[in-house]
Amino acid sequence: MVLSFQKRIIFNFLFQEVLLMRLLLLEDNTIFQYKVDNYYSGVNDGGVIWNDEELAITWPKLKLELSEKDKNLPKLNQLNLNTLW
């Protein structure tokens, strides 16, 4: 669902048992809201580094503002999928 209101773009999503999600928002004043089907669990919080070659995602060349957490995420082949749940 995408809503446009007062020069803002708002995205609303529902994620159920998501393994990975990566977004790149290219417009100023963009709001990304999401809901999940369960409560937050820090034990299960993690991810994969955004530029992992194995994912084969062609990202635009932009200056990115990444958190320290996102800068230090492992590659996909470094994850132990048996420990995620």
Side-chain angles (χ1 to χ4, degrees):
M1 172 188 239
V2 178
L3 305 172
S4 183
F5 180 72
Q6 295 180 349
K7 295 185 181 181
R8 288 186 180 187
I9 300 171
I10 302 172
F11 295 92
N12 291 294
F13 292 91
L14 170 65
F15 293 108
Q16 297 176 320
E17 297 183 27
V18 172
L19 176 60
L20 297 172
M21 170 186 66
R22 203 41 100 198
L23 300 169
L24 176 62
L25 303 175
L26 299 173
E27 295 290 330
D28 291 339
N29 299 316
T30 299
I31 298 171
F32 178 78
Q33 300 174 330
Y34 66 94
K35 294 185 178 193
V36 294
D37 64 346
N38 212 329
Y39 292 100
Y40 172 77
S41 170
V43 174
N44 296 316
D45 186 17
V48 172
I49 190 77
W50 69 276
N51 59 351
D52 185 349
E53 301 86 11
E54 190 174 345
L55 298 176
I57 297 173
T58 305
W59 296 102
K61 296 192 184 322
L62 299 170
K63 181 181 176 192
L64 301 177
E65 296 178 24
L66 298 174
S67 69
E68 285 304 310
K69 175 185 167 187
D70 285 349
K71 289 177 187 176
N72 295 305
L73 290 171
K75 291 186 174 191
L76 183 61
N77 65 8
Q78 296 172 321
L79 286 181
N80 181 352
L81 299 179
N82 296 321
T83 63
L84 292 179
W85 294 278

